[in-house]
Amino acid sequence: MSTPQDAEHRTALVEALGVLGAGPEERFDRITRMTHEAFGVPLTFLNLVHHDLVTTQSTFGWNQGSSVPASEQFCATTVLTPAPMVIPDTTLDERFAHTAAVAEHGIRFYAGAPLSMDDGTRVGTLCIMDAQPRAFSDEDLALLRDLAHWAERELGHALERDRLGRVRTGLVPDPVAVPGLELATVTARRPDGGGDVADWRVAADGTLAVTVGTVATGGAASALLAATVRGALVARVDEPLASALPGLEAQVAPDLRVADAVARLVHARLDPTSGHVDLVEAGLGTALLVRSDGTHRALPSALPLGVGGAAEEHPVVALDLAVGDRLVVSSDGLTTLPGFATLDEVAAAVAGAADTAALVDRVRGLLGDEDPPTDVTLVVVTRRGTAEQPTA
């Protein structure tokens, strides 16, 4: 028996799908169209049950997007049980014989399968109706169930996109302020789950820890593995760099191998007082030191995570930033933007910008307001003067 709590949870989940009021969608219309063709009925519906309403998300033969009170509706009853509901002749069913669907619209046959999400919550139905009574065989019932599973997968994709959205949001940390250093960042994430890793935070010893990376595998797995890599690095933010990367490698390499993926990243620790930088370049190939006079050099790159794994394969590179010098790290996506196709172009853009704010504005302008086709991450750390190291 359904409880008010069940109904509230169903409503919350239906709203979380993000499809109510979105208008016609071919992915749903294809299902109702093929259901119509499979059974040869005049009416097919993909309905969602929420609050006290049944909303037609997709239909063949009726008014799409319409909502009707759930009371006395076939689908409001179907959604309460895990099994399909079949009514060969509605005029003989005392639950529905008096309803408007039967008495006014002449519906004589109904078959509907509930649509469930991963947690078992039933959110709607895929159903068919006819103006004539019909027999419904076991084969028909199996086919309706299969079509309903298809609808469940399509509805579930909406939730998966929402989960990935939360993952992508979690992959971008909040800004941090570090006296002596200026941190400028640009992050853009593609909507279907890119694999960029970006993190910056102050460690217990006062150093700024910066990570930029990419997990290459494709689809949702990239975003989830990127979240795993970032989480493992955050857990080691207070470890010495020489041990943090081997520990990270040991933790994430099994997951990377299962997904046939590698993680390419730069992980750096910057001392805001001295300007000293310790850095590991694990296959990303985009770390740059841009001096205040405009000269630059690329920092040496080693093997990605998931390839090899011995500690000596990830050597620590040491360098020192003078006042005005910049450490620049980006993901591959930056190279898709005009004027940033090569490391030399990136260095020239950094050196030529009036300040990092202008550089950030330029990159964001190139990205525009639309969802990017690929992840883009840019991190620029500039050494500024401190109380111990005045600029003048």
Side-chain angles (χ1 to χ4, degrees):
M1 179 178 294
S2 178
T3 68
Q5 291 75 20
D6 294 334
E8 290 174 4
H9 182 68
R10 176 184 303 112
T11 294
L13 194 52
V14 168
E15 292 176 348
L17 294 173
V19 297
L20 287 173
E25 293 189 58
E26 174 58 24
R27 62 193 179 111
F28 296 133
D29 292 346
R30 186 180 299 113
I31 296 171
T32 52
R33 185 169 61 246
M34 292 189 69
T35 302
H36 156 76
E37 294 172 357
F39 292 105
V41 292
L43 298 174
T44 64
F45 298 86
L46 195 165
N47 288 332
L48 298 174
V49 180
H50 58 109
H51 296 293
D52 295 320
L53 296 174
V54 174
T55 295
T56 299
Q57 188 64 33
S58 177
T59 182
F60 186 94
W62 196 253
N63 299 318
Q64 185 150 308
S66 60
S67 296
V68 296
S71 59
E72 301 183 343
Q73 294 297 319
F74 300 111
C75 291
T77 300
T78 303
V79 82
L80 299 180
T81 61
M85 183 173 74
V86 179
I87 308 174
D89 188 342
T90 60
T91 62
L92 303 180
D93 191 313
E94 61 183 15
R95 296 172 299 174
F96 302 104
H98 65 285
T99 63
V102 178
E104 297 177 17
H105 299 294
I107 300 300
R108 296 289 303 277
F109 167 81
Y110 171 90
L115 305 177
S116 299
M117 297 293 94
D118 287 346
D119 68 349
T121 301
R122 294 179 292 276
V123 296
T125 66
L126 179 69
C127 67
I128 59 176
M129 302 183 194
D130 200 344
Q132 303 295 328
R134 290 179 59 136
F136 209 63
S137 67
D138 291 342
E139 290 77 12
D140 290 334
L141 192 61
L143 177 57
L144 182 62
R145 282 196 179 103
D146 287 343
L147 290 165
H149 290 326
W150 179 13
E152 289 171 342
R153 289 193 296 272
E154 291 298 334
L155 288 169
H157 287 166
L159 284 181
E160 183 66 16
R161 286 196 303 273
D162 182 62
R163 292 189 190 104
L164 289 175
R166 293 196 298 271
V167 169
R168 291 193 303 274
T169 299
L171 287 174
V172 180
D174 294 329
V176 296
V178 183
L181 298 174
E182 178 187 346
L183 177 67
T185 65
V186 180
T187 57
R189 297 292 181 262
R190 74 180 197 233
D192 59 342
D196 270 15
V197 180
D199 192 72
W200 39 85
R201 64 189 60 240
V202 178
D205 62 1
T207 58
L208 174 65
V210 173
T211 303
V212 174
T214 298
V215 178
T217 182
S222 293
L224 297 176
L225 284 170
T228 298
V229 170
R230 178 171 176 254
L233 267 173
V234 169
R236 292 174 170 80
V237 71
D238 294 322
E239 291 183 24
L241 194 61
S243 62
L245 264 292
L248 172 70
E249 172 96 16
Q251 180 175 341
V252 304
D255 289 336
L256 295 172
R257 284 194 292 269
V258 167
D260 195 22
V262 297
R264 301 161 45 240
L265 60 83
V266 170
H267 184 57
R269 306 282 179 81
L270 300 94
D271 186 325
T273 301
S274 67
H276 182 75
V277 181
D278 285 327
L279 175 146
V280 171
E281 224 288 13
L284 191 61
T286 63
L288 285 168
L289 171 61
V290 181
R291 297 291 188 186
S292 58
D293 63 3
T295 60
H296 71 276
R297 68 182 176 93
L299 301 180
S301 183
L303 291 174
L305 301 185
V307 178
E312 61 267 25
E313 292 171 347
H314 302 122
V316 177
V317 177
L319 58 108
D320 292 290
L321 298 180
V323 173
D325 290 350
R326 291 167 175 167
L327 176 66
V328 183
V329 189
S330 64
S331 66
D332 296 336
L334 185 70
T335 64
T336 65
L337 302 180
F340 294 88
T342 66
L343 289 183
D344 286 345
E345 288 186 7
V346 172
V350 172
D355 51 36
T356 52
L359 177 67
V360 166
D361 287 344
R362 176 182 173 186
V363 174
R364 288 177 177 162
L366 292 171
L367 288 168
D369 297 327
E370 302 298 323
D371 289 329
T374 186
D375 286 6
V376 176
T377 302
L378 172 65
V379 175
V380 181
V381 184
T382 307
R383 188 181 178 203
R384 299 302 187 193
T386 66
E388 295 79 11
Q389 177 70 44
T391 57

